[in-house]
Each structure stands twice: as structure tokens, then as C-alpha cells.
mmCIF file of all heavy atoms in Angstrom:
data_model
loop_
_atom_site.group_PDB
_atom_site.id
_atom_site.type_symbol
_atom_site.label_atom_id
_atom_site.label_comp_id
_atom_site.label_asym_id
_atom_site.label_seq_id
_atom_site.Cartn_x
_atom_site.Cartn_y
_atom_site.Cartn_z
ATOM 1 N N PHE A 481 111.253 4.465 -214.189
ATOM 2 C CA PHE A 481 112.699 4.344 -214.051
ATOM 3 C C PHE A 481 113.088 3.175 -213.160
ATOM 4 O O PHE A 481 114.266 2.848 -213.063
ATOM 5 C CB PHE A 481 113.287 5.631 -213.458
ATOM 6 C CG PHE A 481 113.097 6.839 -214.326
ATOM 7 C CD1 PHE A 481 112.040 7.705 -214.113
ATOM 8 C CD2 PHE A 481 113.976 7.117 -215.355
ATOM 9 C CE1 PHE A 481 111.867 8.824 -214.908
ATOM 10 C CE2 PHE A 481 113.810 8.223 -216.160
ATOM 11 C CZ PHE A 481 112.745 9.096 -215.940
ATOM 12 N N GLY A 482 112.094 2.575 -212.486
ATOM 13 C CA GLY A 482 112.403 1.512 -211.527
ATOM 14 C C GLY A 482 113.229 2.079 -210.384
ATOM 15 O O GLY A 482 112.973 3.191 -209.912
ATOM 16 N N ASP A 483 114.250 1.354 -209.958
ATOM 17 C CA ASP A 483 115.116 1.809 -208.856
ATOM 18 C C ASP A 483 116.267 2.687 -209.325
ATOM 19 O O ASP A 483 117.023 3.212 -208.505
ATOM 20 C CB ASP A 483 115.678 0.594 -208.103
ATOM 21 C CG ASP A 483 114.601 -0.136 -207.326
ATOM 22 O OD1 ASP A 483 113.593 0.508 -206.951
ATOM 23 O OD2 ASP A 483 114.757 -1.354 -207.107
ATOM 24 N N GLU A 484 116.420 2.827 -210.652
ATOM 25 C CA GLU A 484 117.518 3.640 -211.182
ATOM 26 C C GLU A 484 117.236 5.128 -210.957
ATOM 27 O O GLU A 484 116.118 5.581 -211.124
ATOM 28 C CB GLU A 484 117.692 3.383 -212.680
ATOM 29 C CG GLU A 484 118.174 1.986 -213.000
ATOM 30 C CD GLU A 484 118.447 1.814 -214.482
ATOM 31 O OE1 GLU A 484 118.931 2.772 -215.116
ATOM 32 O OE2 GLU A 484 118.179 0.721 -214.987
ATOM 33 N N GLU A 485 118.268 5.868 -210.596
ATOM 34 C CA GLU A 485 118.133 7.313 -210.429
ATOM 35 C C GLU A 485 118.515 8.002 -211.734
ATOM 36 O O GLU A 485 119.583 7.764 -212.286
ATOM 37 C CB GLU A 485 119.019 7.804 -209.284
ATOM 38 C CG GLU A 485 118.519 7.368 -207.928
ATOM 39 C CD GLU A 485 119.275 8.041 -206.796
ATOM 40 O OE1 GLU A 485 120.238 8.807 -207.037
ATOM 41 O OE2 GLU A 485 118.885 7.786 -205.643
ATOM 42 N N ARG A 486 117.626 8.846 -212.205
ATOM 43 C CA ARG A 486 117.835 9.599 -213.447
ATOM 44 C C ARG A 486 117.434 11.049 -213.209
ATOM 45 O O ARG A 486 116.724 11.362 -212.260
ATOM 46 C CB ARG A 486 116.987 9.019 -214.593
ATOM 47 C CG ARG A 486 117.303 7.586 -214.921
ATOM 48 C CD ARG A 486 118.564 7.525 -215.722
ATOM 49 N NE ARG A 486 118.754 6.174 -216.214
ATOM 50 C CZ ARG A 486 119.904 5.562 -216.227
ATOM 51 N NH1 ARG A 486 120.973 6.158 -215.792
ATOM 52 N NH2 ARG A 486 120.004 4.344 -216.683
ATOM 53 N N HIS A 487 117.828 11.903 -214.139
ATOM 54 C CA HIS A 487 117.447 13.314 -214.044
ATOM 55 C C HIS A 487 116.142 13.595 -214.771
ATOM 56 O O HIS A 487 115.526 14.638 -214.557
ATOM 57 C CB HIS A 487 118.564 14.198 -214.603
ATOM 58 C CG HIS A 487 119.807 14.121 -213.790
ATOM 59 N ND1 HIS A 487 119.948 14.769 -212.587
ATOM 60 C CD2 HIS A 487 120.965 13.442 -213.989
ATOM 61 C CE1 HIS A 487 121.135 14.505 -212.086
ATOM 62 N NE2 HIS A 487 121.776 13.696 -212.912
ATOM 63 N N GLY A 488 115.709 12.708 -215.640
ATOM 64 C CA GLY A 488 114.489 12.906 -216.396
ATOM 65 C C GLY A 488 114.550 12.161 -217.714
ATOM 66 O O GLY A 488 115.254 11.162 -217.838
ATOM 67 N N ILE A 489 113.823 12.670 -218.689
ATOM 68 C CA ILE A 489 113.768 12.032 -220.007
ATOM 69 C C ILE A 489 114.102 13.061 -221.075
ATOM 70 O O ILE A 489 114.218 14.253 -220.798
ATOM 71 C CB ILE A 489 112.369 11.420 -220.295
ATOM 72 C CG1 ILE A 489 111.287 12.503 -220.351
ATOM 73 C CG2 ILE A 489 112.030 10.349 -219.265
ATOM 74 C CD1 ILE A 489 109.939 12.022 -220.870
ATOM 75 N N TYR A 490 114.225 12.588 -222.294
ATOM 76 C CA TYR A 490 114.332 13.494 -223.429
ATOM 77 C C TYR A 490 113.311 13.085 -224.476
ATOM 78 O O TYR A 490 112.818 11.962 -224.496
ATOM 79 C CB TYR A 490 115.754 13.513 -224.015
ATOM 80 C CG TYR A 490 116.153 12.224 -224.704
ATOM 81 C CD1 TYR A 490 115.878 12.029 -226.049
ATOM 82 C CD2 TYR A 490 116.808 11.212 -224.006
ATOM 83 C CE1 TYR A 490 116.231 10.847 -226.687
ATOM 84 C CE2 TYR A 490 117.167 10.037 -224.632
ATOM 85 C CZ TYR A 490 116.869 9.862 -225.967
ATOM 86 O OH TYR A 490 117.208 8.696 -226.594
ATOM 87 N N ARG A 491 112.982 14.020 -225.353
ATOM 88 C CA ARG A 491 112.053 13.756 -226.451
ATOM 89 C C ARG A 491 112.596 14.455 -227.666
ATOM 90 O O ARG A 491 112.950 15.640 -227.615
ATOM 91 C CB ARG A 491 110.664 14.289 -226.076
ATOM 92 C CG ARG A 491 109.639 14.261 -227.205
ATOM 93 C CD ARG A 491 109.192 12.838 -227.519
ATOM 94 N NE ARG A 491 108.024 12.872 -228.391
ATOM 95 C CZ ARG A 491 108.063 12.644 -229.706
ATOM 96 N NH1 ARG A 491 109.201 12.347 -230.302
ATOM 97 N NH2 ARG A 491 106.963 12.697 -230.422
ATOM 98 N N ASP A 492 112.713 13.732 -228.786
ATOM 99 C CA ASP A 492 113.121 14.312 -230.065
ATOM 100 C C ASP A 492 111.911 14.381 -230.973
ATOM 101 O O ASP A 492 111.244 13.363 -231.195
ATOM 102 C CB ASP A 492 114.213 13.467 -230.729
ATOM 103 C CG ASP A 492 115.544 13.600 -230.030
ATOM 104 O OD1 ASP A 492 115.912 14.745 -229.698
ATOM 105 O OD2 ASP A 492 116.213 12.581 -229.809
ATOM 106 N N ILE A 493 111.631 15.575 -231.501
ATOM 107 C CA ILE A 493 110.494 15.777 -232.403
ATOM 108 C C ILE A 493 111.057 16.216 -233.746
ATOM 109 O O ILE A 493 111.791 17.209 -233.839
ATOM 110 C CB ILE A 493 109.532 16.848 -231.859
ATOM 111 C CG1 ILE A 493 109.067 16.459 -230.448
ATOM 112 C CG2 ILE A 493 108.346 17.025 -232.799
ATOM 113 C CD1 ILE A 493 108.378 17.572 -229.697
ATOM 114 N N SER A 494 110.703 15.479 -234.785
ATOM 115 C CA SER A 494 111.209 15.788 -236.121
ATOM 116 C C SER A 494 110.603 17.088 -236.641
ATOM 117 O O SER A 494 109.409 17.322 -236.510
ATOM 118 C CB SER A 494 110.870 14.649 -237.083
ATOM 119 O OG SER A 494 111.273 14.994 -238.391
ATOM 120 N N ARG A 495 111.441 17.908 -237.243
ATOM 121 C CA ARG A 495 110.976 19.134 -237.895
ATOM 122 C C ARG A 495 110.783 18.915 -239.396
ATOM 123 O O ARG A 495 110.401 19.823 -240.113
ATOM 124 C CB ARG A 495 111.992 20.254 -237.661
ATOM 125 C CG ARG A 495 112.065 20.671 -236.191
ATOM 126 C CD ARG A 495 112.966 21.868 -235.972
ATOM 127 N NE ARG A 495 112.490 22.990 -236.752
ATOM 128 C CZ ARG A 495 113.252 23.696 -237.595
ATOM 129 N NH1 ARG A 495 114.524 23.398 -237.768
ATOM 130 N NH2 ARG A 495 112.751 24.704 -238.266
ATOM 131 N N GLU A 496 111.047 17.703 -239.866
ATOM 132 C CA GLU A 496 110.932 17.394 -241.290
ATOM 133 C C GLU A 496 109.466 17.438 -241.710
ATOM 134 O O GLU A 496 108.603 16.842 -241.084
ATOM 135 C CB GLU A 496 111.490 15.995 -241.537
ATOM 136 C CG GLU A 496 111.742 15.700 -242.984
ATOM 137 C CD GLU A 496 112.470 14.375 -243.138
ATOM 138 O OE1 GLU A 496 113.515 14.180 -242.480
ATOM 139 O OE2 GLU A 496 111.965 13.552 -243.900
ATOM 140 N N HIS A 497 109.182 18.155 -242.770
ATOM 141 C CA HIS A 497 107.809 18.258 -243.280
ATOM 142 C C HIS A 497 107.556 17.127 -244.263
ATOM 143 O O HIS A 497 108.419 16.817 -245.077
ATOM 144 C CB HIS A 497 107.587 19.609 -243.967
ATOM 145 C CG HIS A 497 106.152 19.976 -244.105
ATOM 146 N ND1 HIS A 497 105.327 19.387 -245.027
ATOM 147 C CD2 HIS A 497 105.391 20.844 -243.414
ATOM 148 C CE1 HIS A 497 104.123 19.898 -244.915
ATOM 149 N NE2 HIS A 497 104.138 20.775 -243.941
ATOM 150 N N PRO A 498 106.383 16.462 -244.201
ATOM 151 C CA PRO A 498 106.121 15.342 -245.102
ATOM 152 C C PRO A 498 105.899 15.746 -246.557
ATOM 153 O O PRO A 498 105.909 14.908 -247.445
ATOM 154 C CB PRO A 498 104.859 14.704 -244.517
ATOM 155 C CG PRO A 498 104.205 15.791 -243.757
ATOM 156 C CD PRO A 498 105.305 16.670 -243.248
ATOM 157 N N GLU A 499 105.731 17.026 -246.812
ATOM 158 C CA GLU A 499 105.470 17.506 -248.163
ATOM 159 C C GLU A 499 106.713 18.230 -248.677
ATOM 160 O O GLU A 499 107.348 18.989 -247.942
ATOM 161 C CB GLU A 499 104.268 18.461 -248.121
ATOM 162 C CG GLU A 499 103.643 18.746 -249.446
ATOM 163 C CD GLU A 499 102.338 19.519 -249.258
ATOM 164 O OE1 GLU A 499 102.301 20.492 -248.505
ATOM 165 O OE2 GLU A 499 101.361 19.119 -249.881
ATOM 166 N N SER A 500 107.064 18.012 -249.934
ATOM 167 C CA SER A 500 108.249 18.652 -250.518
ATOM 168 C C SER A 500 108.053 20.150 -250.651
ATOM 169 O O SER A 500 106.931 20.644 -250.774
ATOM 170 C CB SER A 500 108.534 18.068 -251.896
ATOM 171 O OG SER A 500 108.792 16.694 -251.796
ATOM 172 N N ALA A 501 109.163 20.875 -250.665
ATOM 173 C CA ALA A 501 109.133 22.314 -250.885
ATOM 174 C C ALA A 501 108.744 22.603 -252.328
ATOM 175 O O ALA A 501 108.846 21.741 -253.205
ATOM 176 C CB ALA A 501 110.497 22.919 -250.570
ATOM 177 N N SER A 502 108.327 23.841 -252.586
ATOM 178 C CA SER A 502 107.870 24.209 -253.927
ATOM 179 C C SER A 502 109.010 24.366 -254.928
ATOM 180 O O SER A 502 108.783 24.353 -256.132
ATOM 181 C CB SER A 502 107.055 25.507 -253.850
ATOM 182 O OG SER A 502 107.853 26.534 -253.274
ATOM 183 N N SER A 503 110.242 24.502 -254.468
ATOM 184 C CA SER A 503 111.401 24.644 -255.352
ATOM 185 C C SER A 503 112.502 23.680 -254.923
ATOM 186 O O SER A 503 112.671 23.410 -253.737
ATOM 187 C CB SER A 503 111.958 26.075 -255.286
ATOM 188 O OG SER A 503 110.987 26.994 -255.705
ATOM 189 N N TRP A 504 113.275 23.208 -255.878
ATOM 190 C CA TRP A 504 114.306 22.217 -255.597
ATOM 191 C C TRP A 504 115.385 22.727 -254.651
ATOM 192 O O TRP A 504 116.011 21.971 -253.940
ATOM 193 C CB TRP A 504 114.944 21.710 -256.887
ATOM 194 C CG TRP A 504 115.690 22.779 -257.642
ATOM 195 C CD1 TRP A 504 115.183 23.595 -258.593
ATOM 196 C CD2 TRP A 504 117.060 23.149 -257.478
ATOM 197 N NE1 TRP A 504 116.140 24.458 -259.044
ATOM 198 C CE2 TRP A 504 117.317 24.204 -258.385
ATOM 199 C CE3 TRP A 504 118.092 22.709 -256.676
ATOM 200 C CZ2 TRP A 504 118.547 24.824 -258.490
ATOM 201 C CZ3 TRP A 504 119.332 23.326 -256.789
ATOM 202 C CH2 TRP A 504 119.544 24.365 -257.690
ATOM 203 N N TYR A 505 115.606 24.027 -254.619
ATOM 204 C CA TYR A 505 116.678 24.592 -253.800
ATOM 205 C C TYR A 505 116.210 25.001 -252.395
ATOM 206 O O TYR A 505 116.984 25.518 -251.606
ATOM 207 C CB TYR A 505 117.306 25.803 -254.498
ATOM 208 C CG TYR A 505 116.312 26.876 -254.868
ATOM 209 C CD1 TYR A 505 115.970 27.881 -253.968
ATOM 210 C CD2 TYR A 505 115.703 26.877 -256.108
ATOM 211 C CE1 TYR A 505 115.047 28.852 -254.304
ATOM 212 C CE2 TYR A 505 114.790 27.835 -256.456
ATOM 213 C CZ TYR A 505 114.463 28.830 -255.547
ATOM 214 O OH TYR A 505 113.547 29.785 -255.874
ATOM 215 N N LYS A 506 114.958 24.749 -252.086
ATOM 216 C CA LYS A 506 114.435 25.081 -250.761
ATOM 217 C C LYS A 506 114.216 23.808 -249.958
ATOM 218 O O LYS A 506 114.047 22.735 -250.502
ATOM 219 C CB LYS A 506 113.097 25.801 -250.885
ATOM 220 C CG LYS A 506 113.172 27.165 -251.512
ATOM 221 C CD LYS A 506 111.803 27.796 -251.540
ATOM 222 C CE LYS A 506 111.840 29.152 -252.202
ATOM 223 N NZ LYS A 506 110.500 29.742 -252.266
ATOM 224 N N GLU A 507 114.248 23.963 -248.650
ATOM 225 C CA GLU A 507 113.884 22.863 -247.770
ATOM 226 C C GLU A 507 112.672 23.311 -246.970
ATOM 227 O O GLU A 507 112.504 24.489 -246.693
ATOM 228 C CB GLU A 507 115.045 22.513 -246.841
ATOM 229 C CG GLU A 507 116.220 21.932 -247.598
ATOM 230 C CD GLU A 507 117.289 21.422 -246.662
ATOM 231 O OE1 GLU A 507 116.942 20.840 -245.631
ATOM 232 O OE2 GLU A 507 118.468 21.623 -246.985
ATOM 233 N N ARG A 508 111.824 22.353 -246.613
ATOM 234 C CA ARG A 508 110.612 22.687 -245.886
ATOM 235 C C ARG A 508 110.670 22.032 -244.506
ATOM 236 O O ARG A 508 110.906 20.842 -244.403
ATOM 237 C CB ARG A 508 109.397 22.184 -246.666
ATOM 238 C CG ARG A 508 108.109 22.648 -246.082
ATOM 239 C CD ARG A 508 106.992 22.410 -247.052
ATOM 240 N NE ARG A 508 105.771 22.920 -246.447
ATOM 241 C CZ ARG A 508 104.592 22.769 -246.958
ATOM 242 N NH1 ARG A 508 104.449 22.123 -248.099
ATOM 243 N NH2 ARG A 508 103.541 23.255 -246.365
ATOM 244 N N TYR A 509 110.469 22.839 -243.470
ATOM 245 C CA TYR A 509 110.509 22.348 -242.101
ATOM 246 C C TYR A 509 109.287 22.815 -241.333
ATOM 247 O O TYR A 509 108.671 23.832 -241.678
ATOM 248 C CB TYR A 509 111.760 22.861 -241.375
ATOM 249 C CG TYR A 509 113.027 22.267 -241.892
ATOM 250 C CD1 TYR A 509 113.816 22.949 -242.796
ATOM 251 C CD2 TYR A 509 113.430 21.006 -241.488
ATOM 252 C CE1 TYR A 509 114.990 22.395 -243.283
ATOM 253 C CE2 TYR A 509 114.599 20.431 -241.970
ATOM 254 C CZ TYR A 509 115.366 21.141 -242.864
ATOM 255 O OH TYR A 509 116.518 20.579 -243.347
ATOM 256 N N LEU A 510 108.975 22.083 -240.297
ATOM 257 C CA LEU A 510 107.923 22.485 -239.380
ATOM 258 C C LEU A 510 108.526 23.407 -238.325
ATOM 259 O O LEU A 510 109.651 23.204 -237.883
ATOM 260 C CB LEU A 510 107.333 21.261 -238.681
ATOM 261 C CG LEU A 510 106.661 20.237 -239.590
ATOM 262 C CD1 LEU A 510 106.348 18.970 -238.818
ATOM 263 C CD2 LEU A 510 105.403 20.825 -240.199
ATOM 264 N N ASP A 511 107.770 24.413 -237.935
ATOM 265 C CA ASP A 511 108.182 25.302 -236.857
ATOM 266 C C ASP A 511 107.529 24.785 -235.574
ATOM 267 O O ASP A 511 106.300 24.691 -235.506
ATOM 268 C CB ASP A 511 107.735 26.729 -237.162
ATOM 269 C CG ASP A 511 108.164 27.711 -236.094
ATOM 270 O OD1 ASP A 511 109.183 27.466 -235.422
ATOM 271 O OD2 ASP A 511 107.462 28.724 -235.924
ATOM 272 N N ILE A 512 108.333 24.408 -234.590
ATOM 273 C CA ILE A 512 107.819 23.819 -233.350
ATOM 274 C C ILE A 512 108.224 24.698 -232.176
ATOM 275 O O ILE A 512 109.409 25.012 -232.004
ATOM 276 C CB ILE A 512 108.342 22.381 -233.159
ATOM 277 C CG1 ILE A 512 107.839 21.516 -234.321
ATOM 278 C CG2 ILE A 512 107.919 21.814 -231.805
ATOM 279 C CD1 ILE A 512 108.416 20.124 -234.359
ATOM 280 N N GLU A 513 107.217 25.092 -231.398
ATOM 281 C CA GLU A 513 107.450 25.930 -230.218
ATOM 282 C C GLU A 513 106.934 25.199 -228.983
ATOM 283 O O GLU A 513 105.734 24.944 -228.864
ATOM 284 C CB GLU A 513 106.718 27.260 -230.376
ATOM 285 C CG GLU A 513 106.803 28.157 -229.182
ATOM 286 C CD GLU A 513 105.917 29.385 -229.324
ATOM 287 O OE1 GLU A 513 105.468 29.695 -230.440
ATOM 288 O OE2 GLU A 513 105.659 30.023 -228.291
ATOM 289 N N VAL A 514 107.824 24.877 -228.068
ATOM 290 C CA VAL A 514 107.419 24.212 -226.827
ATOM 291 C C VAL A 514 106.700 25.232 -225.949
ATOM 292 O O VAL A 514 107.192 26.338 -225.723
ATOM 293 C CB VAL A 514 108.632 23.610 -226.085
ATOM 294 C CG1 VAL A 514 108.205 22.969 -224.764
ATOM 295 C CG2 VAL A 514 109.337 22.587 -226.966
ATOM 296 N N ILE A 515 105.514 24.845 -225.475
ATOM 297 C CA ILE A 515 104.701 25.728 -224.640
ATOM 298 C C ILE A 515 104.930 25.433 -223.158
ATOM 299 O O ILE A 515 105.144 26.343 -222.357
ATOM 300 C CB ILE A 515 103.202 25.567 -224.989
ATOM 301 C CG1 ILE A 515 102.965 25.950 -226.447
ATOM 302 C CG2 ILE A 515 102.336 26.394 -224.042
ATOM 303 C CD1 ILE A 515 101.604 25.534 -226.978
ATOM 304 N N SER A 516 104.880 24.149 -222.782
ATOM 305 C CA SER A 516 105.075 23.797 -221.377
ATOM 306 C C SER A 516 105.475 22.333 -221.246
ATOM 307 O O SER A 516 105.200 21.523 -222.132
ATOM 308 C CB SER A 516 103.814 24.057 -220.550
ATOM 309 O OG SER A 516 102.755 23.227 -220.990
ATOM 310 N N VAL A 517 106.137 22.015 -220.125
ATOM 311 C CA VAL A 517 106.541 20.645 -219.813
ATOM 312 C C VAL A 517 106.230 20.407 -218.339
ATOM 313 O O VAL A 517 106.558 21.231 -217.482
ATOM 314 C CB VAL A 517 108.039 20.418 -220.088
ATOM 315 C CG1 VAL A 517 108.443 18.999 -219.734
ATOM 316 C CG2 VAL A 517 108.372 20.714 -221.552
ATOM 317 N N TRP A 518 105.587 19.269 -218.077
ATOM 318 C CA TRP A 518 105.153 18.928 -216.725
ATOM 319 C C TRP A 518 105.595 17.512 -216.382
ATOM 320 O O TRP A 518 105.689 16.653 -217.257
ATOM 321 C CB TRP A 518 103.630 18.986 -216.629
ATOM 322 C CG TRP A 518 103.053 20.340 -216.911
ATOM 323 C CD1 TRP A 518 103.020 20.984 -218.124
ATOM 324 C CD2 TRP A 518 102.451 21.222 -215.988
ATOM 325 N NE1 TRP A 518 102.426 22.215 -217.999
ATOM 326 C CE2 TRP A 518 102.059 22.379 -216.681
ATOM 327 C CE3 TRP A 518 102.203 21.145 -214.603
ATOM 328 C CZ2 TRP A 518 101.433 23.448 -216.063
ATOM 329 C CZ3 TRP A 518 101.565 22.208 -213.998
ATOM 330 C CH2 TRP A 518 101.194 23.348 -214.719
ATOM 331 N N MET A 519 105.846 17.284 -215.080
ATOM 332 C CA MET A 519 106.063 15.937 -214.566
ATOM 333 C C MET A 519 105.156 15.789 -213.348
ATOM 334 O O MET A 519 105.225 16.608 -212.416
ATOM 335 C CB MET A 519 107.519 15.705 -214.156
ATOM 336 C CG MET A 519 107.770 14.286 -213.642
ATOM 337 S SD MET A 519 109.458 14.017 -213.068
ATOM 338 C CE MET A 519 109.359 14.709 -211.431
ATOM 339 N N ASP A 520 104.296 14.795 -213.392
ATOM 340 C CA ASP A 520 103.372 14.534 -212.282
ATOM 341 C C ASP A 520 102.577 15.786 -211.910
ATOM 342 O O ASP A 520 102.448 16.156 -210.740
ATOM 343 C CB ASP A 520 104.127 13.984 -211.070
ATOM 344 C CG ASP A 520 104.873 12.703 -211.398
ATOM 345 O OD1 ASP A 520 104.402 11.939 -212.273
ATOM 346 O OD2 ASP A 520 105.929 12.462 -210.789
ATOM 347 N N ASN A 521 102.067 16.479 -212.927
ATOM 348 C CA ASN A 521 101.222 17.675 -212.773
ATOM 349 C C ASN A 521 101.932 18.889 -212.186
ATOM 350 O O ASN A 521 101.289 19.807 -211.682
ATOM 351 C CB ASN A 521 99.957 17.357 -211.957
ATOM 352 C CG ASN A 521 99.079 16.363 -212.667
ATOM 353 O OD1 ASN A 521 98.860 16.465 -213.881
ATOM 354 N ND2 ASN A 521 98.595 15.384 -211.933
ATOM 355 N N VAL A 522 103.254 18.912 -212.239
ATOM 356 C CA VAL A 522 104.033 20.058 -211.774
ATOM 357 C C VAL A 522 104.966 20.468 -212.913
ATOM 358 O O VAL A 522 105.649 19.618 -213.496
ATOM 359 C CB VAL A 522 104.857 19.701 -210.511
ATOM 360 C CG1 VAL A 522 105.745 20.867 -210.093
ATOM 361 C CG2 VAL A 522 103.952 19.266 -209.374
#
């Protein structure tokens, strides 16, 4: 961050699945569950 004061960062993770769904009327997504987040080992 240099000398700038910030509260932290953000991360966007796509839930879009690279493979098409089996039917035209369905959408396929990845299920993502965050387990833990650390900064400087805390």
C-alpha cells in the first residue's frame, strides 16, 4: 500500500463454470466456500 492508509483488499472469484450445462435452460456455476483469510499470518 506504500504510505497510503487502507482497510485491506478485495478479491473477486468467478463462479462461472467453463463447461456448459446439460440443458439449455440451466446455468452451471461453481460452488465456492471461503475457509479462512489471513494477513501476515494472522
Side-chain angles (χ1 to χ4, degrees):
F481 297 96
D483 291 334
E484 293 185 37
E485 290 189 357
R486 300 282 189 222
H487 295 283
I489 64 170
Y490 69 88
R491 172 72 168 102
D492 287 316
I493 304 167
S494 176
R495 293 186 59 232
E496 194 172 308
H497 199 285
E499 196 171 47
S500 299
S502 58
S503 299
W504 64 270
Y505 55 88
K506 293 182 182 178
E507 293 187 39
R508 188 167 182 187
Y509 291 99
L510 298 170
D511 181 27
I512 298 173
E513 176 187 344
V514 178
I515 299 167
S516 64
V517 179
W518 299 69
M519 181 183 81
D520 302 329
N521 296 316
V522 176

